[in-house]
Amino acid sequence: MSEEAPPSRRGDPAVDIKGAAFLPYMIMEDIVEKLKLLNYEEEFVARHGQRPISRTYFAVPGSAGEQFFVFSNLLSWLLELNGKRFEAPLEDDDPNAVVSSIMSEVKSLGLNTDFPPSRLKAGCGDEVCYILNQLASKALEMRQFSWERPEYTEEEANEESIEDDPMDEQIEDENIDEDYEDEIMLDIGEVNTSSQDAIEVQKQEDLLESSTDALEWKMEVERVMPSLKVHLRSDKDWRTHLDQMLENRKNMSTSLTASKTHLDQMHQEITRTLEKITSREKYINSQMEGPIAEYRRLKDRLAEIEEKYRSAGSTVTDQSRTLAQITEELEGIKAQMDEKGTTMTDSGPLVKIKQAITKVKNELIQMELRIGVLQHVVITAKVNDKTAMTRDMNSEDHFSDLKTSF
């Protein structure tokens, strides 16, 4: 199996030109095969209750949280196979802390970590596939597993070379006349050149010496043998097909006899089982008639109670709405009563009234004093006016007396 390029060569133009975009898919093929060799279906999938991963699971982006959780748990199992103690993280663990722990464990195994740790949080990509593949390879080395060349038995190779495809047989039956004519034409052409070719071949065989290893030649023959097919042609193909049809019919009759016996036995067993099931069903129905009738009665009773409950529920809703309105009005009345009670028990207004009365009395005293002063001024003015008037009158009388005297 192919090993992936390390992360340090991910920017190499040679790697990019050869199809770095398809590298994760190739690595995932290796990972799945190595995990099967490590028996991960029983030791990991069954123990953790997870589904087996597909051949493109970590190569194609999907649900980041789910892929990271599966990656971390699979990596924990592979680290245990490599002799490292790494506790499997939970789904609600901090991804940064989990990635930091993974990087430290991977570095301790000597793997290349020349890439940003944030690449692992996606749960897919080149880095994830690289780490899983390297850990799987080291786990196989811990179990002392080694890759060997495939071995092919001689019987399998001969069977593959002799067996013909049914479609090939049909094509050969249809083109047999054309092939036969071509062979005749080739034979005629070969007769004319056979003598000259034989002389040239004889000369060449005298000069050539084989330098090919017999073992390599045998391996090459075994390799190309499945591609070679031996086509046996007969002038009586229809008779061969007829014999094959008769033989197949005989085999089918023999198989049908044995199969019919088994099918009849199965039919009888199935019939008896169905009869038992029918009788048991009738018995159960007869025994359950009373409970079924009681169940129906209780179901009708339940429907009536549910209807009453719904109507009572609507009434309770209306009453609750009315209660809420009354409670709101009561709260308003209580607030008014508390305000009036506070006003009645409060002595502040009374003190203010007394102070106002005292102030009014003081003002009345001052007003009376001012009125007295004004009355005194007015009386004094009146007296002064009367005095002046009397004086004027007296002066006028004196003046008139003086006039009369003169």
Side-chain angles (χ1 to χ4, degrees), residues 288-299:
M288 296 299 293
E289 286 181 357
I292 289 173
E294 181 67 18
Y295 171 74
R296 290 175 179 173
R297 187 183 65 80
L298 293 175
K299 189 175 181 180

Side-chain angles (χ1 to χ4, degrees), residues 123 131 179 202 215 352 395:
I131 290 176
D179 294 339
Q202 184 65 33
L215 181 60
K352 291 180 180 179
S395 61

Side-chain angles (χ1 to χ4, degrees), residues 329-393:
E329 293 177 358
L330 180 61
E331 292 294 334
I333 293 172
K334 285 183 178 180
Q336 293 178 2
M337 291 179 63
D338 292 339
E339 185 179 357
K340 289 183 178 181
T342 304
T343 305
M344 292 174 64
T345 56
D346 190 8
S347 60
L350 183 60
V351 173
K352 291 180 180 179
I353 291 171
K354 290 181 179 180
Q355 291 177 356
I357 292 172
T358 304
K359 185 176 181 181
V360 169
K361 287 182 179 180
N362 293 331
E363 291 179 354
L364 288 174
I365 293 171
Q366 291 180 1
M367 290 295 292
E368 289 177 355
L369 180 59
R370 290 179 181 177
I371 290 170
V373 173
L374 289 173
Q375 286 179 352
H376 176 70
V377 171
V378 170
I379 292 171
T380 304
K382 285 182 178 181
V383 171
N384 291 333
D385 290 341
K386 286 183 179 181
T387 305
M389 189 181 294
T390 305
R391 187 181 301 111
D392 292 338
M393 289 177 63

Side-chain angles (χ1 to χ4, degrees), residues 142-158:
M142 291 288 291
R143 293 189 177 184
Q144 296 181 354
F145 177 83
S146 61
W147 300 98
E148 298 179 357
R149 295 178 61 86
E151 296 181 358
Y152 300 101
T153 60
E154 185 176 358
E155 295 179 356
E156 292 178 354
N158 294 331

Side-chain angles (χ1 to χ4, degrees), residues 189-234:
E190 290 175 358
V191 168
N192 297 326
T193 59
S194 60
S195 59
Q196 296 178 359
D197 293 339
I199 296 171
E200 293 178 358
V201 169
Q202 184 65 33
K203 292 180 180 180
Q204 293 177 359
E205 288 179 353
D206 293 336
L207 297 175
L208 294 177
E209 293 182 0
S210 176
S211 61
T212 305
D213 188 5
L215 181 60
E216 293 180 357
W217 179 261
K218 185 177 180 181
M219 291 175 62
E220 181 67 18
V221 171
E222 291 179 356
R223 186 182 68 82
V224 300
M225 188 177 292
S227 301
L228 302 177
K229 293 184 179 180
V230 179
H231 301 289
L232 300 177
R233 298 183 179 181
S234 176

Side-chain angles (χ1 to χ4, degrees), residues 251-265:
N251 294 333
M252 290 174 63
S253 300
T254 306
S255 301
L256 179 62
T257 303
S259 301
K260 188 175 182 181
T261 304
H262 293 294
L263 291 173
D264 291 337
Q265 293 177 357

